[in-house]
Structure formats: C-alpha cells, structure tokens
Amino acid sequence: MSLVTNEECLNPLLVNAKQKSQSTKGLKVLAIDDNVVCLKVLGSVLEKCGYTVTTTRNANEGLEMLRKNKESFDIVITDVVRDDMDGFKLLEAIGLEMDIPVIMTSANGDTRTIVEGIKNGARDYLVKPVKMEDVKNIIQHVTSKNTIEEDESPISGNDTNIDTNELVQESSTLLVKRKSKNSLQYEDEETNTGSSGGESCPPRKKNRMRWSKEMHQKFLDAYYQLEADSLDKVVPKRILEIMNEPGITRENVASHLQKFRNGLKKQNAILNQDSHWKSDANNIARKLPETSNNNMFANHKACLVPRNQYEQVLFQQNALPVGNFAPISTYSMLDNRVYRPVLDANALSQPDLKRWRRKMDDELLKIPHNYANFGSGQFYQDPVSSAPVSLNYVGTPYQMFGQVSVSPQMTYISPFDSTGLVSSTPGQLEGGDLVSLNGRGVPDFGVGANGSPINFSLDDDLSTIVQQFQDISAPRL
Amino acid sequence: MLGLGMERLRTDINRLLALLFHQGVLDEQYLQLQQLQDESSPNFVSEVVNIYFQESEKLLRNLRSLLMDREFSDYKKMGVHLNQFIGSSSSIGAKRVRNVCVAFRVASEQNNRLGCLRALELLEHEYCYLKNKLHELFQIEQQRLLAAAVRYPVQH
C-alpha cells in the first residue's frame, strides 16, 4: 500500500500552489446522510480534517443548498442508501447539475452498489465506518484531480475507451483492497477514477493500461497486418501507428506485444511437445516384433499415440476412442474385417490424419471390388502377430466400433480355411465378435461383400502373405 | 486519597476497554471517536454513543414488531432498517453488533423468517451487553472526571 503524503501531492502542483492550498484547507463539504449517528461522526471527522462542513439528513434540502449557491460547496459526500430519494439518482443529479465531485458512502461494501455509484457519477466511495485517514486521502485525491483537470486535458483516455467490464474489474479490485481494514491503497485510487472514466491521474503516476477486447482486437489486426509484410516489421511503433488509438503509448504496446509473443511461444511449445510424442511413438513402435515379411507394413507401425496430454490420460484410462480415428463403423464395414488403422508416426498431426482417413475411406470402399488393392498397402491390417502385441503395448483394449472393446484375447469365430470361407456373417457388429482369428492367429478374411469367398489365389501378393502367415504356428502374444 | 482513587479509576477504565476490545465488542473505530473528542467537543464520545443508543432502540423496536407480525413479508423494509443499524454500529465501532446485523441482513435477504428471529434475539442480546458495558465505561469516566475536578478545585 502506498500512502501519498501531502508533500508528494503538492509536487506536481507547485505551479498552482495557491490553488492547492485553497483546495485542501477550507474546503466546503456538504455531507448528506440519513443516519444521524453516521452523519455526526462524519461531520466531526471532516471538521477535524480542517474542512468546513454542512450536514443534512435530507437529500432535497441538500440539493437546495447546492442549487442556491453553486459556489458554496466543493465536495459532496452522500450516502447512497436512503429513504426519501434513490441515492443513485441523487448522485446523478448532483453530478450533472453542478459539476461538483461527489463521494458516496455506504454501509455495505457490495460490489454492485459501488459500481452503480460509480456509473452514476461518484468520484469515489467510502465504506462505513469512515475513518479520518480515508476521508483525508479521498478528498485530497479528488481535489487534486480537479486541479489537474482544470489546467490540462486529461492525460489519457476518455469515457468511451473503458467499457463497463473494466470498471467493474477495477471497482472490485478496489473493493477488495478497501475491505481490508488498511488505509487506502492510494495506487488503486489512481486507476479507478469513477465518473471521469478515463485513466487520468496525477502526472507522476504511470498509466496503468488495461487492454480491452476491442483494443486487443485492433492490436491483433495490426500485428497480423505487419506480420504479413515481414516479421521484422512487427515493431511496437508501427503497431501503434496502425492501431491509431489515443491513449496508449508505445511502451504499452511494447509490453503487450511481448506478452503476446510469449503466449505464442508457449503454444508452439505445446505443439512441439506433440511431435515429441511422435518421436516416442516411433521408438516404441519399432520395438514391435517385425516379421520379415513386413515390407508391406513397413511404413505402418502399429501404434496409437496420444496427441496431447489429455488424450494421454484418456489413453491410460482405457477411454481413448479408437486412436483419434473415426470409429471403425465409419469405415465401410463390408465384411467383418476389421481394419484397425495404423498410423505411422508422421501421420499423427491432425490435418494429416483427416486426409489419411479420407483416403482410407475411399480405399476401403473399394474392398469388395478389388482385392488387388490390398497389396498396395493401403489397407492397413495389422500383422496378426503384432496385433496382440500392439495391444499389449497399448495395454488397453481397443475400443472399436464405438463402445465395443476388444480384449487382447480375441474371440475367433471360425477356423481359417484355405478357401477363405468363413461362417461368420459379414457386417454384424456384435460385441466381441469383431475380430475373428483363426486358430493360427491369422485374421479371417471373411466373405467379401458380395458374398463370394475371397480367393487368395487371385492375388499374388495376398497369397504370399497368406503363405507367410500360415507359417506362423501360433499367434505371438 | 483521591489521587489513589484516580489511579484506580484510570486502570479500571483501561481494563474495561481492553476487555471490550478483546471480546470484539468494540473495534478501532471507537478509538477514532475518542480521537475526535477534544476541547471543542469534550463530550463527543458520550454524545454520539447516546444518540446511537436512541436510534438503535428505535430500530430494534421496529424490527421486533415487523417480525412478530403474523403476516410479515416485508423483508425489504427490514433490510432498510438493518442497513441503518449496520451503518451506525460501524460508525461507533460496535463490531459484534454490526456482525450480527450483517448476518441478520443475510437471513432477511433469503426471506428466512426463522433465521431472522434468531438473529434478532442475538442482536438484542449483543446490543444489551454493549449498552451495559458502555454505560459502565461512562460511569467510571464520569467518576474520573469528577475526581480530577476535585483534585484541582476551581478557585472562585
């Protein structure tokens, strides 16, 4: 907390020393309060501070006094909660009719009340009980501001720049600080200046700049505009010129720019962390046993890697949907062939994924018609041996087809026979029956969509694979 | 002998004040009041406190009559009274009374009649305690002043 003493107040106003001495001493204050006790205490406090005090309980009477002689009072202090007249209306009336600063007091330090008061033109507020220190500080603050405004135009800002949100923010921070029974935090007084709205304050204080949404948007526009030219051009000076906003200085822009850049860096760091994951995936994937015939699958490492930390958590909780991929049901399931998508590490970034997925969809659609495609490697099917392994690596059952999870113990539906005939019906998505393994741990290539059995002899590649699979005696887990 | 009496009186006052502060019945605002008392307003504290008593009793009567009323529903009015009470209590430095009032206000905002009744009882209790103690304080103060006056008799 920084209390400003009289001397500091005077420094910038040495020029108007005469006026200043007039304003602190012999100030004529009008105090209006419904409550007799509060009024008496307040009156006494003000007198002790050296001001000339007039007190009244009646708001109308107070207004009359003000109207009768406009010069008679320098400050009005009034309670906002009153019987005879709405306190806020009173505030407004005084503020509008006569250009006298009004300070509001209130028994409750409600944020809402404070904000209402300030919106209606209160220069400052005091929460009861009013202490001598508070009163002194406030009046000095209010009158010193007055003096400045008489001489110079406000340093920066005008009412329109500050939107209500900020006012509320400022008021509430002010309120929070006031609620602590310490003496006023003079600093906050500087930034919350009620009816004058703007951030005008004695010249010796630096402007505390608040970036409103609109201003930030302007800043962003300027930033991107400059960035389009070239990254070097993004300097605070140029941004300031483009923004063309009164009331901000180059320093404000500079610090904001710095914060913005830091924010960008952080974002990039997070993205890079993803790629860090990618490289991990590579390492892990390579640990999978690779059969010699994995040429076809060389590019496709079975791995399901979380793209970010959130997914990692899901991942561990077995809650991760099928590798961020669309549920397999979106692939045309024309037979009960399950194509568990396998990604290579490079394909982990989202846009690629989409592209890849689309490609895969297209390819899958071609399944029934052209099994030759199988050899092109676009249908990704895990080598059986690696399937359970990858699952083990993952440690979690895959969730295929949405809710259905397949355990590493895959149920196999029917033995594999060389003709490829399978007894399971295509297209049935029942829990657990999705992946059929034959006794040899070879996935069943079920019946084609058109019902015809798959004839492996048709395709050289296929038959090679099948051959190789047949060599495997048992599924490697 | 009077001198000794004075000392005793002074320590009594201080002890009582310390007790009240310790109990949280009074807070620093009361000290402010004392500071405001000077030659120009020698009885400031007692004046203010007496006004406070008068006002508070009025308010308490109002509050009780409001709550006792069978068809009571005007919580807003009660809120207004309470606001007054809070304001005056805080200006005096009557911390405990003020706190009870705040709780009372909360209950009235929630339209909680039972809560209000309880708060009213508590408020009356606290107020009575405060009043007694402050009276006691003023009595001792009075005695001390008298003793001081006697010590330095005015020569006619």
Side-chain angles (χ1 to χ4, degrees):
Chain A
M1 90 192 161
S2 55
L3 281 178
V4 180
T5 62
N6 255 334
E7 291 84 61
E8 285 175 62
C9 247
L10 278 171
N11 277 338
L13 304 170
L14 278 173
V15 184
N16 304 315
K18 200 162 154 205
Q19 214 164 354
K20 184 68 183 161
S21 59
Q22 263 181 9
S23 50
T24 42
K25 299 243 151 51
L27 248 186
K28 284 165 280 190
V29 183
L30 174 64
I32 309 176
D33 199 329
D34 244 2
N35 191 323
V36 190
V37 179
C38 301
L39 196 59
K40 195 162 163 84
V41 175
L42 181 59
S44 175
V45 167
L46 288 168
E47 273 175 2
K48 203 72 184 219
C49 292
Y51 306 119
T52 330
V53 189
T54 319
T55 61
T56 173
R57 288 190 73 188
N58 192 326
N60 284 318
E61 202 182 300
L63 271 176
E64 276 306 307
M65 283 197 266
L66 284 168
R67 284 186 190 128
K68 237 195 295 183
N69 188 357
K70 293 263 173 93
E71 301 303 309
S72 56
F73 297 106
D74 300 309
I75 290 194
V76 179
I77 303 184
T78 174
D79 188 352
V80 278
V81 179
R82 32 185 349 104
D83 291 334
D84 50 357
M85 187 195 299
D86 182 16
F88 298 119
K89 294 272 163 53
L90 178 63
L91 270 178
E92 232 179 325
I94 300 180
L96 292 173
E97 276 189 46
M98 346 157 181
D99 198 19
I100 301 180
V102 182
I103 299 174
M104 57 179 268
T105 64
S106 178
N108 64 342
D110 229 19
T111 324
R112 258 181 303 122
T113 330
I114 310 293
V115 173
E116 271 299 309
I118 291 181
K119 273 204 258 185
N120 282 318
R123 210 47 96 73
D124 212 328
Y125 81 96
L126 286 166
V127 181
K128 291 189 199 171
V130 282
K131 299 205 178 81
M132 240 179 352
E133 285 299 311
D134 298 349
V135 172
K136 249 196 262 180
N137 285 336
I138 287 208
I139 293 193
Q140 277 169 3
H141 165 59
V142 167
T143 49
S144 65
K145 234 165 46 55
N146 263 347
T147 341
I148 292 175
E149 278 174 6
E150 280 162 14
D151 302 338
E152 321 156 3
S153 50
I155 289 168
S156 72
N158 47 35
D159 292 5
T160 55
N161 271 352
I162 312 291
D163 59 14
T164 349
N165 288 338
E166 272 177 67
L167 262 181
V168 173
Q169 271 174 30
E170 289 176 353
S171 316
S172 46
T173 48
L174 193 53
L175 173 67
V176 165
K177 294 218 167 101
R178 291 273 182 95
K179 266 194 169 154
S180 67
K181 290 233 167 166
N182 301 328
S183 314
L184 283 179
Q185 309 231 353
Y186 201 83
E187 254 178 82
D188 287 287
E189 278 194 83
E190 299 298 335
T191 52
N192 179 6
T193 54
S195 65
S196 67
E199 312 228 46
S200 59
C201 43
R204 71 184 181 290
K205 259 322 224 188
K206 245 198 277 181
N207 251 352
R208 209 193 321 157
M209 179 71 185
R210 292 285 179 96
W211 283 81
S212 65
K213 257 187 275 174
E214 293 90 11
M215 289 229 267
H216 184 65
Q217 192 52 51
K218 273 195 177 177
F219 168 83
L220 284 178
D221 293 337
Y223 179 89
Y224 287 122
Q225 189 181 330
L226 287 173
E227 201 190 17
D229 289 336
S230 92
L231 209 51
D232 310 336
K233 286 260 184 80
V234 187
V235 277
K237 185 163 157 221
R238 297 278 299 131
I239 295 182
L240 189 63
E241 283 169 25
I242 294 179
M243 276 180 74
N244 195 19
E245 179 98 16
I248 51 176
T249 67
R250 202 197 67 84
E251 285 81 20
N252 297 135
V253 177
S255 62
H256 195 74
L257 179 65
Q258 188 182 39
K259 280 185 212 156
F260 183 65
R261 280 191 175 138
N262 287 340
L264 284 181
K265 258 191 242 158
K266 267 192 214 155
Q267 275 184 28
N268 285 335
I270 294 176
L271 286 176
N272 287 338
Q273 199 188 28
D274 279 0
S275 56
H276 169 70
W277 271 107
K278 290 183 215 161
S279 52
D280 263 347
N282 261 328
N283 295 335
I284 294 165
R286 265 183 239 117
K287 291 193 192 127
L288 292 176
E290 287 177 16
T291 58
S292 52
N293 58 331
N294 256 357
N295 317 3
M296 216 179 90
F297 304 94
N299 298 335
H300 319 295
K301 306 206 159 67
C303 51
L304 186 65
V305 182
R307 268 178 311 141
N308 57 36
Q309 282 171 328
Y310 170 71
E311 277 162 14
Q312 183 190 11
V313 171
L314 284 183
F315 192 60
Q316 285 156 1
Q317 291 174 354
N318 307 342
L320 200 60
V322 186
N324 313 318
F325 315 118
I328 293 195
S329 50
T330 65
Y331 308 129
S332 7
M333 254 306 294
L334 301 164
D335 49 19
N336 63 348
R337 190 184 314 212
V338 171
Y339 297 98
R340 192 175 332 116
V342 179
L343 273 188
D344 63 25
N346 300 327
L348 278 179
S349 61
Q350 183 78 329
D352 290 340
L353 195 56
K354 284 198 189 134
R355 201 179 7 104
W356 174 86
R357 211 186 295 160
R358 252 178 303 189
K359 203 161 74 164
M360 185 158 158
D361 280 346
D362 293 339
E363 297 307 333
L364 277 174
L365 283 171
K366 295 189 201 145
I367 295 175
H369 310 296
N370 185 7
Y371 279 105
N373 274 334
F374 186 85
S376 64
Q378 282 170 342
F379 300 123
Y380 308 130
Q381 193 164 26
D382 295 331
V384 170
S385 52
S386 67
V389 176
S390 61
L391 279 180
N392 278 346
Y393 149 66
V394 166
T396 71
Y398 274 91
Q399 279 190 342
M400 307 194 188
F401 294 93
Q403 283 75 38
V404 176
S405 57
V406 179
S407 63
Q409 264 92 27
M410 298 196 193
T411 52
Y412 77 90
I413 295 173
S414 62
F416 172 81
D417 63 30
S418 48
T419 62
L421 277 170
V422 189
S423 57
S424 62
T425 26
Q428 290 227 334
L429 311 177
E430 262 147 34
D433 285 341
L434 302 173
V435 176
S436 51
L437 283 179
N438 57 16
R440 305 227 192 111
V442 181
D444 257 331
F445 307 115
V447 186
N450 47 17
S452 58
I454 299 166
N455 194 345
F456 289 102
S457 55
L458 282 179
D459 191 334
D460 277 347
D461 274 1
L462 266 178
S463 41
T464 350
I465 295 162
V466 167
Q467 250 349 85
Q468 286 159 349
F469 281 150
Q470 274 176 332
D471 289 339
I472 302 166
S473 51
R476 258 190 253 143
L477 288 164
Chain B
M1 10 161 227
L2 283 172
L4 281 175
M6 261 245 314
E7 280 310 308
R8 190 170 52 88
L9 286 173
R10 209 178 285 155
T11 47
D12 277 351
I13 290 178
N14 290 336
R15 205 182 291 150
L16 184 52
L17 265 180
L19 175 68
L20 290 176
F21 273 97
H22 182 73
Q23 288 176 333
V25 176
L26 290 178
D27 67 8
E28 351 165 286
Q29 182 66 14
Y30 188 76
L31 295 174
Q32 270 279 293
L33 285 185
Q34 287 187 325
Q35 282 176 13
L36 292 172
Q37 181 164 292
D38 56 15
E39 299 85 32
S40 58
S41 48
N43 298 320
F44 180 70
V45 181
S46 54
E47 281 170 15
V48 174
V49 172
N50 283 327
I51 298 176
Y52 170 72
F53 286 153
Q54 287 169 10
E55 290 293 311
S56 307
E57 263 141 46
K58 255 193 272 174
L59 284 172
L60 278 173
R61 274 198 297 268
N62 287 342
L63 285 170
R64 186 150 273 275
S65 62
L66 272 177
L67 270 179
M68 287 296 127
D69 184 10
R70 278 279 189 78
E71 293 104 23
F72 168 67
S73 60
D74 199 351
Y75 287 96
K76 243 200 172 151
K77 193 161 178 197
M78 210 157 62
V80 170
H81 285 317
L82 283 172
N83 212 354
Q84 293 276 345
F85 211 147
I86 292 177
S88 52
S89 304
S90 53
S91 298
I92 293 287
K95 191 158 78 164
R96 281 232 295 242
V97 172
R98 180 181 164 275
N99 290 342
V100 176
C101 282
V102 171
F104 197 155
R105 185 168 63 181
V106 169
S108 81
E109 278 164 11
Q110 296 169 349
N111 290 4
N112 177 0
R113 178 127 187 262
L114 191 59
C116 287
L117 278 167
R118 277 209 213 105
L120 179 64
E121 273 176 37
L122 191 56
L123 182 62
E124 283 171 344
H125 172 82
E126 285 294 333
Y127 173 75
C128 283
Y129 184 74
L130 175 74
K131 187 167 174 183
N132 288 336
K133 287 298 170 199
L134 283 179
H135 270 315
E136 199 180 318
L137 198 64
F138 291 150
Q139 269 179 2
I140 308 178
E141 185 69 36
Q142 199 78 358
Q143 284 177 18
R144 191 180 69 85
L145 284 174
L146 278 175
V150 169
R151 216 171 160 208
Y152 306 105
V154 178
Q155 305 281 354
H156 286 294

